[in-house]
């Protein structure tokens, strides 16, 4: 990956993903390397993606405030993952390699487990993740389809890590629908609503964070995306995204035009507009600069070899 910083006027690069897959006895799949692990069903406002969100507890929110897709995007880390199907039941074990080289190996590693049971068009899943330096979490998810529409509910529970008796239990839940047209224009609709009880505005020490590594947006939040792919059988796609934080009435509207040249080259031009009061979730500029709004432009070029 390559990026350019306008503050330092310099390019930086890094290894985004590098992993190997191995199939054992024809059924047990194994993967080791640097990559993102995604659990849960949410595509916009994820909470059940326990491994991906837990290892990214640093200040990610400030760096991507214009387009909060990071909520559902797993952050790459070094993982060892094994999955084994048993009929309709699938079991997955996950170990995250320590990020602190000076710490003891096993005590600084992260451990996760996922069990998924599928019957008909419905999938039930239970997962848990533990890392010594982060909040223990578990999640229960359900996904089903009816009349071509996907429905899901993701719920998580967490314990404040500094209380040995686990007296404080925090709950978060999200629900959503996903629909993709079968005939006519290639349209996709996604709508999600989330309640994040790990981070309630105005509670705790005044910062609003009940759990230190909770997601940035607490309380109620919503997301809506409409995408029109292959407009008129062309390689162009148009999408509109709206994210809103109902606690401080701030949000972001992102219009994006994408160009897909086969399976190798993709270009995406995004025009985000954020709104809200200074110091809100989506407005980080001073009042004299933002005047309640902020905008910009982003260009992403993806080359697959």
């Amino acid at each position: 990956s390559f990026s350019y910083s306008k503050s330092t006027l310099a390019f930086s690069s890094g290894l985004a993903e590098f992993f190997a897959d191995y199939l054992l006895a024809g059924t047990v799949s194994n993967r080791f390397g640097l990559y993102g692990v995604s659990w849960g069903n949410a595509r916009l406002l994820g909470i059940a993606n326990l491994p991906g969100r837990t290892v990214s507890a640093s200040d990610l929110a400030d760096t991507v405030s214009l387009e909060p897709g990071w909520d559902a995007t797993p952050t790459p880390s070094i993982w060892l993952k094994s999955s084994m199907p048993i009929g309709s039941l699938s079991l997955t074990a996950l170990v995250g390699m320590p990020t602190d080289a000076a710490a003891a190996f096993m005590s600084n590693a992260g451990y996760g487990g996922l069990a998924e049971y599928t019957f008909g068009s419905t999938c039930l899943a239970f997962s848990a993740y533990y890392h010594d330096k982060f909040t223990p979490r578990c999640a229960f998810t359900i996904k089903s389809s009816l009349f071509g529409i996907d429905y899901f509910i993701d719920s998580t529970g967490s314990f404040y890590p500094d209380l040995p008796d686990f007296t404080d239990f925090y709950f978060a839940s999200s629900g959503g629908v996903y629909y993709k047209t079968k005939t006519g224009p290639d349209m996709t609709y996604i709508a999600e609503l989330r309640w994040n009880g790990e981070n309630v505005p105005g509670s705790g020490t005044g910062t609003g964070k009940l759990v230190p590594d909770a997601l940035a947006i607490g309380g109620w939040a919503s997301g809506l995306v409409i995408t029109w792919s292959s407009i008129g059988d062309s390689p162009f796609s148009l999408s509109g995204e709206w994210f809103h934080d109902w606690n401080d009435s701030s949000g972001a509207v992102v219009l994006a035009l994408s160009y897909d040249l086969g399976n190798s080259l993709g270009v995406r031009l995004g025009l985000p507009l954020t709104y809200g009061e200074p110091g809100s979730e989506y407005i980080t500029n001073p009042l004299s600069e933002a005047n309640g709004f902020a905008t910009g432009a982003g260009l992403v070029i993806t080359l697959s070899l």
Side-chain angles (χ1 to χ4, degrees):
S1 63
F2 300 90
S3 61
Y4 177 77
S5 172
K6 66 177 182 180
S7 59
T8 60
L9 301 180
F11 283 95
S12 61
S13 62
L15 183 64
E17 286 192 325
F18 185 78
F19 56 85
D21 289 327
Y22 178 72
L23 190 62
L24 179 64
T27 56
V28 182
S29 60
N30 302 275
R31 173 174 289 186
F32 175 76
L34 177 68
Y35 58 97
V37 176
S38 180
W39 290 351
N41 299 299
R43 299 167 185 252
L44 306 176
L45 303 172
I47 58 171
N49 184 22
L50 305 182
R53 59 172 291 201
T54 305
V55 298
S56 60
S58 59
D59 56 346
L60 275 181
D62 293 337
T63 64
V64 289
S65 57
L66 285 180
E67 187 176 2
W70 67 275
D71 258 350
T73 303
T75 301
S77 187
I78 300 179
W79 304 101
L80 171 62
K81 182 175 68 172
S82 296
S83 298
M84 178 178 62
I86 306 176
S88 299
L89 179 66
S90 178
L91 302 176
T92 300
L94 181 74
V95 178
M97 299 298 105
T99 55
D100 184 0
F105 179 80
M106 297 308 295
S107 63
N108 193 239
Y111 303 92
L114 170 66
E116 298 172 287
Y117 180 72
T118 303
F119 56 98
S121 61
T122 301
C123 179
L124 305 177
F126 178 80
S127 60
Y129 186 80
Y130 175 81
H131 191 292
D132 181 58
K133 297 183 179 299
F134 301 97
T135 303
R137 290 184 174 90
C138 61
F140 176 77
T141 68
I142 179 172
K143 177 182 177 181
S144 188
S145 297
L146 184 64
F147 302 118
I149 303 177
D150 290 344
Y151 304 88
F152 80 88
I153 296 177
D154 291 349
S155 300
T156 63
S158 61
F159 302 94
Y160 196 88
D162 295 333
L163 298 176
D165 55 357
F166 298 108
T167 54
D168 282 355
F169 178 80
Y170 301 110
F171 177 77
S173 184
S174 64
V177 295
Y178 173 88
Y179 175 71
K180 185 177 180 64
T181 57
K182 305 298 188 297
T183 60
D186 188 359
M187 306 288 293
T188 301
Y189 304 88
I190 306 174
E192 295 181 9
L193 179 65
R194 183 184 71 187
W195 161 258
N196 178 18
E198 295 184 13
N199 181 357
V200 180
S203 60
T205 61
T207 62
K209 289 188 178 298
L210 293 174
V211 179
D213 53 351
L215 295 177
I217 299 177
W220 291 102
S222 62
L224 176 66
V225 171
I226 301 176
T227 302
W228 184 6
S229 301
S230 303
I231 301 175
D233 294 327
S234 72
F236 290 95
S237 299
L238 182 65
S239 66
E241 308 172 1
W242 176 42
F243 299 89
H244 188 75
D245 181 357
W246 293 94
N247 309 287
D248 58 19
S249 297
S250 67
V253 177
V254 184
L255 299 178
L257 180 66
S258 302
Y259 177 77
D260 187 12
L261 183 60
N263 295 321
S264 58
L265 180 64
V267 180
R268 186 173 189 264
L269 176 63
L271 298 175
L273 170 67
T274 61
Y275 57 89
E277 296 296 327
S280 61
E281 186 61 43
Y282 288 91
I283 293 291
T284 57
N285 305 68
L287 179 60
S288 59
E289 298 179 10
N291 293 320
F293 297 93
T295 188
L299 177 65
V300 177
I301 300 176
T302 304
L303 177 63
S304 301
L305 300 177

